[in-house]
Amino acid sequence: MSQDRYSLINTSTNSNIVEESGYGSVDNSGDKPKKFKQYIAAFAATLSALAAGTVLAWTSPILNDLETGKYRNIKLDSDQLGWIGSFVMLGGMVMCIPTGFICDILGRKKTLLLLFIPFTIGWLLIIFAENVLMLYFGRLITGTAAGACCVAAPLYTSEIAHKSLRGALSSYFQLMVTVGIFLAYVVGKYLTPVYFTIWCASVPFIFIIFFVIQPESPVYLIKRGKYEEAKQVLIILRGIHYSIDAELVEIEGFLKESTQTSISLIDTFKKRSIIISFVISSSLMFFQQFSGINTIILYTTDIFNASGISLDANTASIIVGFFQVMATFVASLVIDKLGRRILLFVSSLFITLSIFFLGVYFSLKDRSGMDEDVLGKLGFLPVSALCVFIIAYSVGLGPIPWVISSEIFPTEIKSIASSTAGTFNWFLAFVLTRFYVQICDYIGQDSTFYIFGFASMIGIFFVHIFVIETKGKNVSEIQAQLNNY
């Protein structure tokens, strides 16, 4: 297609804009898009998130081996173990913003495929580590790959998805992260540390095999003036019987509008909707991290043991990982039916209640001097609170901040804006992962839970007052609603 990139905007097909498309608002086509190939493309892209999940979970199943020097004869103290976990967060933090630019230069698909390089280099450093520095660098480099996929994968899935599937496919990212964590917990329980690490290093190969045959984002192709390629991609994703002409027109029209509003970066950021988009996205990332998810995961074994249920650390982690996967999967099924806002609200509410119950239990356990027999009768409390927390987090505050961040920004700044929100998320994760042990030692486990509980309580009111519903809306409609705040 050789015409000017915006020439389709003024054609008569504007009246046939497709309601159910990722960008349209009126459905006059009479046919529905096929879904199967969209599911496959999203699944393949988010296998990178599964690889990221194994990076995040690597230390948990072999923590004792790392402490005792059973992994590569490298014995680590508590401070070194803290850095082993924190370097992943640091790598993810520094890579998010560059990934946004890379996505716009090379494309979403090529960026995701290039993640194979840091994944492989990082895991090789860990597999053949001879000292703690090699472990540090290996974790840092695999962390950059994990951080990059947090930007590239949601961006890709949101741009290939039909509007009726956008929420579900966007939630695949968090789902696959939890699947990666769960599989790492299971495999790590039964393999030796070295073989477990080799297994983790093999996961990016699986991602490459599945994803290399998937198409590029049609939005990116149109931005680059590759209209015929974009048309063929939409035909592949939507099916040959679905009329994609109106969707092409609508994408082009929105890209033109978005380009005009971003000619001056200063003028763009003066726009009320853009500012509010950044506030909402960053705040949701804050409430996600300050829900206490990392602390809860760390104290899983202590919570089970405190309840009188004697479980080894790996088994307890597997149970928690299973709850995460199941609840996140349920969220992917209902997010386009119930909507983002209600799931966030209910999630924040139950997270707040469960965190406060955990705080109360540990206050009774550590500060009240309560008789052990009486305390034992309350053993159901921490386990129940833990299960409610994991389920509530996984159906709302876990996946939805990433979904909303991929939806509320104008297309022309979406990649850099989403990567900025991702950087903030990784920064908070780094700070909490690195310093929460010292904080807990200073103020106690219960006080730590109370802080997270109050933060989550604020999150309830924030969701109710500020977060808009994005289900079934295109970006123009979302931006218009934000401008009316």
Side-chain angles (χ1 to χ4, degrees):
M1 190 178 295
S2 60
Q3 66 259 50
D4 178 77
R5 67 176 287 182
Y6 300 127
S7 63
L8 291 178
I9 297 170
N10 297 318
T11 66
S12 61
T13 53
N14 273 320
S15 62
N16 297 323
I17 291 170
V18 184
E19 162 115 22
E20 295 299 327
S21 75
Y23 297 83
S25 56
V26 180
D27 186 2
N28 294 321
S29 64
D31 55 5
K32 298 292 183 181
K34 299 296 183 181
K35 298 179 179 181
F36 179 73
K37 289 187 178 180
Q38 294 180 68
Y39 283 122
I40 293 298
F43 170 79
T46 53
L47 281 174
S48 63
L50 190 147
T54 63
V55 171
L56 296 173
W58 178 72
T59 57
S60 183
I62 62 172
L63 187 62
N64 184 64
D65 298 304
L66 293 171
E67 290 177 323
T68 58
K70 293 181 181 178
Y71 182 77
R72 304 289 299 174
N73 295 318
I74 304 171
K75 188 174 182 179
L76 304 174
D77 57 33
S78 58
D79 185 65
Q80 290 171 325
L81 283 171
W83 280 111
I84 288 290
S86 300
F87 269 120
V88 170
M89 310 301 175
L90 189 61
M93 180 183 71
V94 301
M95 196 59 192
C96 281
I97 290 179
T99 302
F101 288 106
I102 296 171
C103 282
D104 281 341
I105 295 171
L106 299 181
R108 286 58 163 145
K109 179 180 177 179
K110 288 181 181 178
T111 301
L112 280 167
L113 291 175
L114 284 174
L115 296 185
F116 177 76
I117 297 174
F119 270 129
T120 302
I121 293 174
W123 281 120
L124 287 175
L125 283 171
I126 295 171
I127 291 171
F128 297 105
E130 296 180 355
N131 51 59
V132 68
L133 284 178
M134 290 183 70
L135 290 178
Y136 285 166
F137 278 108
R139 294 289 283 169
L140 180 68
I141 294 171
T142 53
T144 62
C149 86
C150 287
V151 175
L155 186 62
Y156 177 85
T157 54
S158 69
E159 290 184 349
I160 61 98
H162 192 269
K163 186 166 63 174
S164 62
L165 296 177
R166 193 179 63 210
L169 297 190
S170 295
S171 68
Y172 273 21
F173 170 77
Q174 182 68 20
L175 174 62
M176 295 301 278
V177 170
T178 62
V179 171
I181 292 172
F182 174 68
L183 290 177
Y185 288 161
V186 174
V187 175
K189 180 178 174 64
Y190 297 103
L191 293 183
T192 64
V194 172
Y195 282 112
F196 168 59
T197 306
I198 293 173
W199 176 84
C200 290
S202 70
V203 175
F205 285 90
I206 300 173
F207 158 62
I208 290 295
I209 291 171
F210 276 87
F211 186 64
V212 71
I213 60 174
Q214 300 306 318
E216 177 59 271
S217 155
V219 176
Y220 172 78
L221 292 173
I222 292 177
K223 286 176 69 175
R224 291 297 180 184
K226 299 179 180 180
Y227 305 103
E228 285 297 338
E229 289 185 44
K231 185 174 183 178
Q232 291 304 313
V233 166
L234 284 174
I235 291 173
I236 292 171
L237 293 173
R238 307 290 192 256
I240 60 175
H241 299 296
Y242 181 74
S243 176
I244 53 88
D245 290 336
E247 187 168 353
L248 284 168
V249 170
E250 189 68 12
I251 294 173
E252 283 201 311
F254 185 75
L255 284 174
K256 180 180 180 181
E257 176 187 345
S258 183
T259 301
Q260 290 173 342
T261 60
S262 61
I263 292 174
S264 168
L265 189 62
I266 295 176
D267 289 342
T268 298
F269 277 88
K270 284 182 179 178
K271 288 185 175 293
R272 181 180 179 86
S273 63
I274 303 296
I275 296 173
I276 295 175
S277 296
F278 272 102
V279 170
I280 291 175
S281 179
S282 299
S283 297
L284 289 178
M285 295 302 182
F286 173 86
F287 292 122
Q288 183 192 77
Q289 288 299 322
F290 270 80
S291 67
I293 181 64
N294 292 314
T295 302
I296 294 294
I297 295 298
L298 176 74
Y299 284 120
T300 295
T301 304
D302 289 346
I303 292 170
F304 273 100
N305 290 339
S307 69
I309 301 175
S310 180
L311 287 176
D312 65 90
N314 285 344
T315 303
S317 296
I318 289 172
I319 292 173
V320 170
F322 177 78
F323 273 110
Q324 280 188 296
V325 172
M326 290 297 101
T328 308
F329 176 69
V330 170
S332 72
L333 297 178
V334 301
I335 189 171
D336 279 322
K337 295 180 175 65
L338 299 180
R340 288 69 156 143
R341 193 168 179 269
I342 184 64
L343 288 176
L344 274 176
F345 183 86
V346 172
S347 173
S348 299
L349 175 62
F350 280 94
I351 284 173
T352 300
L353 293 173
S354 58
I355 286 286
F356 276 130
F357 275 121
L358 283 171
V360 168
Y361 180 83
F362 277 97
S363 290
L364 295 174
K365 180 176 179 290
D366 298 331
R367 302 183 189 272
S368 69
M370 180 178 290
D371 184 83
E372 289 293 331
D373 292 335
V374 177
L375 195 63
K377 294 179 181 179
L378 297 175
F380 70 92
L381 183 62
V383 174
S384 300
L386 173 66
C387 293
V388 170
F389 174 90
I390 293 298
I391 293 172
Y393 176 86
S394 300
V395 299
L397 207 53
I400 294 179
W402 298 105
V403 174
I404 289 181
S405 289
S406 70
E407 292 179 327
I408 62 175
F409 293 106
T411 302
E412 203 65 24
I413 66 167
K414 181 184 291 187
S415 57
I416 185 62
S418 298
S419 61
T420 301
T423 299
F424 183 59
N425 186 288
W426 282 98
F427 170 74
L428 293 175
F430 168 73
V431 171
L432 292 174
T433 302
R434 184 66 189 91
F435 298 110
Y436 78 91
V437 172
Q438 291 90 329
I439 294 172
C440 288
D441 289 341
Y442 186 72
I443 65 175
Q445 292 181 8
D446 57 342
S447 297
T448 305
F449 288 134
Y450 291 140
I451 291 173
F452 291 137
F454 279 113
S456 298
M457 182 184 296
I458 296 172
I460 297 173
F461 293 101
F462 179 85
V463 170
H464 178 68
I465 297 171
F466 293 104
V467 177
I468 65 171
E469 181 55 69
T470 59
K471 182 189 76 168
K473 297 177 182 177
N474 60 44
V475 182
S476 296
E477 294 168 335
I478 293 170
Q479 289 293 302
Q481 187 173 349
L482 290 173
N483 269 322
N484 291 328
Y485 256 37

